[in-house]
Amino acid sequence: MGTIGADIVIQILREQGVDVIFGFPGANSLPLNDRLMESSIRHYLVRHEQAAAHAADGYARATGKVGVCLSTSGPGATNMVTGIATAYMDSSPLVALTAQVNTSLLGRDAFQETDIISMTIPITKHSFQVKNIHDLASNLREAFEIATSGRPGPVLVDLPRDILAAQCEPAGPVEETIRNGYKNGSDGREAIERIARALNQSERPVVIIGGGVKLANACDLMGDLIAKTQLPFVTTMMGVGSVNAANGLNLGFIGSHGFELANSIVHQSDFILAVGTRFTDRSTSRIDEFAPLATVAHIDIDPTSISKNIKADLPFTGDAMEAIRTLIPMIEPRDRTDWMNRIAEERTSVEEKVPDRGCGPAGTFIRRIQEALPDDTMAVADVGLNQIWTVRSWRTRTPRCLLTSGGMGTMGFSVPAAIGAKIGAPARSVVAITGDGGFYMNIQELATIRYYNLPIKIVVFNNGHLGMIRQIQNLFFDARYNSIELGEGTDFVAAARAFGIPSSRIRVDNASDEGIEALGRTDGPYLLEAVVDSENFVFPIIPPGRSNVEMIFGQAD
Amino acid sequence: MTVEERTLSMLVNNRPGVLSRIAAVFSSRGYNISTLCVAETINPDISRITLTSSADSDFTEKIKKQLYKLVDVLEVSDFSGPAFLHRELMIFGVKVTPETRIEIMRAIERFGCRIATMSQSYYILESTGSRPENEAVLAYFDPFGVEEMNRTGSVALKKIFEAATPRT
Ligand SMILES: Cc1ncc(C[n+]2csc(CCOP(=O)(O)OP(=O)(O)O)c2C)c(N)n1
């Protein structure tokens, strides 16, 4: 057996440091699956291709390395689409390998053929369909380069079966390529000097930390900046956990499900230093009423993010790490006692108005879960009320201790992403926190957890409803509840047992320690069904079409 | 913001799929491409795409940045306005009768059109010019009975030559 295309794929994956793939095979991917048998790369067989993409994404978020997923052509490839889009929206570096029909069959509607390249153009940074064995190595190398450079994101490589099976020579050394596009420049020192001057003059500054700070590995430096300057800061939801400041400078996260204090202080500020955020509508709500008094300095690696949503008065396009490093020595100390006093006063009044951080018993419950688990536990939130409860209540200690699908809001993300996170960071403890609705979406991955014996904890908040949609119907559709009832039909404890995973059920508002202890104590996987009242919403929230300071605090009925 | 016709000229790698990625940048942001012209440059590895789109003034800067994110886009320039030479080719068929023949022949000469092919009662004419020039030509011939028309999108080049511009 000489070298074939599949061996080249494995050779390049190894060269790029890949030792794990999440995938699901099919006839067209078999040449590769076959050769993976002898390679040192572990192929984790998930139970649905969407889970392969989410797991690779979770792996990337937990480790900062590129996640790799693999599917067959046609239905396998289309099943990965949601996972690829999720990674795209949160700038998670991913290489998605899809098998394809033989090149001679392309365009003939062959069995299991699909034009996955066209389908994924809007949700990938770039994609390759390898039509010539001589391009295989360079296309794969470029895929990794593109996935990780500048603003990270997913790249798809479509691999026709005959290319995977073709006889060839092993790949040669890396060649220089002349592609443009994904290499990002930097605006230079003057732009940072302008930002520093404006910041030094400001009376009421605030820093907004986006998810890009984590992606740039700039959390420590950002921490230094905050510590040195004593600037108050907020984060976006994706930025939660970037900087660990228990000293009153952290005001929480902004946006439609964010903290009243954070939204209010941003609104009153006269200067914003925003780093690694694209000012999504989830963070800003109405852009015409966002921070009306502030001069906005915006640092981002992606030139298209600057002034896309919020006009940047002082833009800097470039790496956050480099920008912050340049900025720190330029910042002068300044007395801002009035501003800090105002923040302290507001904090006190908000804490009275919004007890339990707006999460009710669910928030308290999440904190008890956290206490029962090791300090370094990563929480992987799903989407819905459970996500907001988690992001608002989890005490974030390190940048990668909270993973969530922010940009896309993909239900079903948490369980497969937790699988990827656990495999990427085996020494850390991982808990997936989900609602019953989201849990149904990838429940089959319990089988993967059991098969590989992954010690993942799962908390399923069972409110019998699509809770967050119920809250929206409650508030904005006159409490006319429709198409949201899941009922109490499923015994999740029995379901978990059916998958071979020990489990128990408790009520959130009357939680005995027993279930929580069992969750913390069990060595292998464990599922805790947490029954929660369907009227347990999250407050405050911002109605659609309103500004960040028009939060509402109670329900309709 | 005022909406106007903008011309973008870009150099791209001559590879399959590039055009659909570029089209997706426009369509996903709700911009309509009014004309599009794609051809190889002197360097066969590189193609020039000239496209026009009606958009507000913010458009060019934003779309340029988006286009630069595409791996195969090498250069994007705004070729709107008088500093650039704009040309499109238009061919159209017009009915000719003994009564209108002389007037039509005069107009052909005055507008600098060419007869591409003809029969007794029908001429296919060829006109090269800027889009507004061609619009004027068409408007003039229309009353005689224009049956069909087909035109390319605009192609454009910078009018002022810099000494060492590469031949693309
Ligand atoms: C795949 C997908 N479909 C639909 C939605 C819309 N959606 C957002 S939250 C939500 C309800 C989630 O219900 P559940 O998982 O039970 O969590 P809860 O809100 O009750 O905590 C829905 C349907 C979504 N975000 N993702």
Side-chain angles (χ1 to χ4, degrees):
Chain A
M1 269 197 301
T3 304
I4 58 169
D7 299 315
I8 305 280
V9 176
I10 291 163
Q11 184 193 337
I12 304 299
L13 293 178
R14 291 298 306 140
E15 169 194 302
Q16 298 292 329
V18 176
D19 42 28
V20 172
I21 292 182
F22 303 92
F24 200 96
N28 283 325
S29 67
L30 278 187
L32 181 53
N33 285 96
D34 181 62
R35 291 299 171 105
L36 276 168
M37 258 181 105
E38 277 91 46
S39 86
S40 59
I41 297 174
R42 283 168 295 153
H43 178 277
Y44 282 89
L45 176 68
V46 290
R47 302 300 188 263
H48 187 303
E49 289 90 347
Q50 188 191 108
H54 286 324
D57 184 350
Y59 176 94
R61 292 181 203 230
T63 62
K65 296 195 284 184
V66 181
V68 180
C69 50
L70 166 65
S71 77
T72 190
S73 63
T78 53
N79 268 351
M80 288 211 300
V81 169
T82 302
I84 295 172
T86 304
Y88 184 75
M89 291 297 278
D90 289 340
S91 309
S92 195
L94 196 78
V95 169
L97 304 174
T98 50
Q100 184 54 278
V101 300
N102 283 340
T103 47
S104 61
L105 292 173
L106 280 171
R108 293 168 187 263
D109 294 336
F111 177 64
Q112 297 197 327
E113 178 186 5
T114 190
D115 181 2
I116 193 67
I117 298 284
S118 294
M119 285 185 209
T120 53
I121 281 177
I123 52 162
T124 50
K125 282 184 82 180
H126 192 59
S127 45
F128 299 91
Q129 183 173 60
V130 186
K131 290 212 186 106
N132 187 326
I133 184 83
H134 302 299
D135 297 331
L136 181 56
S138 63
N139 285 174
L140 283 163
R141 283 173 176 145
E142 273 189 76
F144 280 86
E145 166 90 32
I146 295 169
T148 49
S149 58
R151 178 178 174 178
V155 180
L156 188 140
V157 186
D158 201 32
L159 301 163
R161 189 184 202 283
D162 55 330
I163 299 285
L164 289 175
Q167 293 286 337
C168 57
E169 294 295 310
V174 182
E175 282 167 45
E176 279 295 313
T177 47
I178 49 137
R179 299 277 179 120
N180 275 20
Y182 56 91
K183 294 200 170 61
N184 288 288
S186 179
D187 276 350
R189 197 180 164 84
E190 307 76 61
I192 300 288
E193 277 166 359
R194 277 192 291 276
I195 292 174
R197 269 198 301 277
L199 174 56
N200 289 336
Q201 280 162 17
S202 67
E203 303 279 345
R204 300 186 309 281
V206 61
V207 181
I208 300 182
I209 301 173
V213 173
K214 289 181 207 173
L215 292 169
N217 289 319
C219 293
D220 288 348
L221 260 182
M222 184 52 106
D224 292 349
L225 182 142
I226 299 289
K228 178 184 170 214
T229 59
Q230 292 293 301
L231 288 169
F233 71 95
V234 302
T235 70
T236 65
M237 195 164 92
M238 291 309 291
V240 167
S242 309
V243 174
N244 196 357
N247 55 8
L249 294 169
N250 186 359
L251 312 181
F253 74 98
I254 55 168
S256 39
H257 295 292
F259 287 92
E260 204 206 1
L261 178 65
N263 283 331
S264 165
I265 294 305
V266 168
H267 194 76
Q268 297 171 57
S269 66
D270 68 353
F271 182 88
I272 286 174
L273 174 65
V275 188
T277 172
R278 60 200 161 91
F279 287 111
T280 158
D281 53 300
R282 269 287 140 126
S283 303
T284 62
S285 303
R286 281 183 66 145
I287 53 174
D288 54 337
E289 285 175 20
F290 180 76
L293 312 171
T295 299
V296 176
H298 189 182
I299 294 170
D300 204 285
I301 188 83
D302 180 355
T304 63
S305 284
I306 300 216
S307 293
K308 176 167 65 187
N309 298 323
I310 296 292
K311 174 142 185 11
D313 304 298
L314 300 164
F316 173 85
T317 310
D319 179 53
M321 180 110 93
E322 183 190 308
I324 299 168
R325 189 174 286 133
T326 315
L327 183 61
I328 290 178
M330 297 179 187
I331 301 177
E332 292 157 9
R334 181 175 174 137
D335 178 35
R336 296 191 177 95
T337 312
D338 287 352
W339 182 225
M340 297 316 286
N341 285 344
R342 189 190 301 186
I343 292 171
E345 275 162 36
E346 279 203 27
R347 186 191 290 276
T348 315
S349 78
V350 165
E351 274 164 10
E352 282 164 17
K353 200 149 108 190
V354 188
D356 302 330
R357 309 186 130 212
C359 296
T364 315
F365 181 79
I366 285 170
R367 292 189 165 226
R368 290 180 60 193
I369 296 282
Q370 185 167 24
E371 277 155 22
L373 293 170
D375 259 4
D376 68 346
T377 299
M378 286 195 263
V380 188
D382 210 73
V383 169
L385 293 175
N386 64 85
Q387 175 183 35
I388 307 306
W389 293 332
T390 306
V391 186
R392 289 178 79 104
S393 307
W394 195 256
R395 288 194 192 84
T396 51
R397 299 185 170 103
T398 60
R400 299 189 190 278
C401 69
L402 179 64
L403 316 182
T404 188
S405 164
M408 182 84 165
T410 309
M411 284 169 72
F413 172 79
S414 62
V415 171
I419 292 176
K422 182 69 201 174
I423 288 167
R428 293 184 66 172
S429 145
V430 175
V431 58
I433 301 178
T434 179
D436 42 347
F439 186 50
Y440 281 123
M441 288 201 173
N442 275 312
I443 193 168
Q444 76 287 344
E445 295 311 315
L446 292 185
T448 310
I449 290 175
R450 179 72 277 169
Y451 181 80
Y452 293 106
N453 213 7
L454 301 169
I456 293 170
K457 315 298 174 201
I458 301 162
V459 175
V460 183
F461 279 108
N462 188 355
N463 53 13
H465 288 83
L466 302 173
M468 177 169 281
I469 304 303
R470 189 178 148 92
Q471 173 164 10
I472 296 170
Q473 288 179 339
N474 176 286
L475 295 174
F476 312 120
F477 291 86
D478 297 329
R480 283 159 53 81
Y481 298 124
N482 188 23
S483 325
I484 49 145
E485 190 168 335
L486 299 166
E488 269 136 48
T490 307
D491 177 345
F492 287 115
V493 174
R497 292 218 178 102
F499 284 103
I501 293 178
S503 61
S504 61
R505 177 186 301 117
I506 55 176
R507 281 201 61 88
V508 161
D509 49 10
N510 179 24
S512 67
D513 291 334
E514 222 171 275
I516 295 177
E517 266 172 21
L519 182 88
R521 184 171 5 97
T522 311
D523 278 340
Y526 192 87
L527 184 143
L528 187 58
E529 179 182 349
V531 179
V532 61
D533 201 274
S534 65
E535 295 296 301
N536 193 351
F537 293 152
V538 63
F539 285 107
I541 74 163
I542 298 167
R546 307 293 272 282
S547 83
N548 267 358
V549 284
E550 295 177 274
M551 302 193 101
I552 55 172
F553 292 86
Q555 49 206 88
D557 55 3
Chain B
M1 266 183 265
T2 51
V3 171
E4 56 190 323
E5 187 87 351
R6 315 286 311 181
T7 304
L8 285 186
S9 176
M10 36 192 136
L11 297 174
V12 304
N13 286 323
N14 185 4
R15 266 188 253 262
V18 178
L19 189 58
S20 49
R21 285 172 213 276
I22 288 171
V25 168
F26 282 79
S27 62
S28 65
R29 283 161 189 81
Y31 290 118
N32 183 34
I33 296 175
S34 4
T35 75
L36 178 67
C37 233
V38 191
E40 274 178 14
T41 61
I42 295 164
N43 175 353
D45 293 335
I46 294 176
S47 291
R48 185 186 289 278
I49 297 181
T50 311
L51 66 79
T52 60
S53 181
S54 299
D56 55 46
S57 50
D58 235 16
F59 157 84
T60 318
E61 274 320 299
K62 287 195 171 175
I63 210 93
K64 243 168 111 171
K65 289 201 259 172
Q66 294 285 357
L67 290 167
Y68 268 125
K69 287 208 324 195
L70 298 181
V71 165
D72 284 310
V73 170
L74 307 173
E75 195 183 307
V76 187
S77 316
D78 184 2
F79 273 15
S80 313
F84 302 88
L85 182 75
H86 299 258
R87 285 289 181 272
E88 64 164 31
L89 168 68
M90 173 172 77
I91 51 178
F92 60 101
V94 63
K95 280 195 268 193
V96 183
T97 64
E99 292 76 40
T100 61
R101 177 165 292 117
I102 289 180
E103 207 182 325
I104 285 177
M105 288 307 293
R106 279 208 195 110
I108 288 172
E109 198 175 326
R110 193 152 17 91
F111 284 121
C113 300
R114 230 170 60 85
I115 300 175
T117 180
M118 64 194 284
S119 71
Q120 275 292 328
S121 58
Y122 195 68
Y123 293 180
I124 292 184
L125 303 181
E126 188 179 307
S127 167
T128 322
S130 67
R131 261 177 97 69
E133 281 164 3
N134 279 337
E135 294 294 341
V137 169
L138 201 60
Y140 186 86
F141 282 98
D142 201 39
F144 297 108
V146 172
E147 297 280 275
E148 272 188 310
M149 184 277 283
N150 195 354
R151 70 215 290 187
T152 66
S154 284
V155 289
L157 282 181
K158 214 183 289 164
K159 278 183 194 164
I160 296 112
F161 298 94
E162 286 151 26
T165 34
R167 301 204 321 144
T168 42

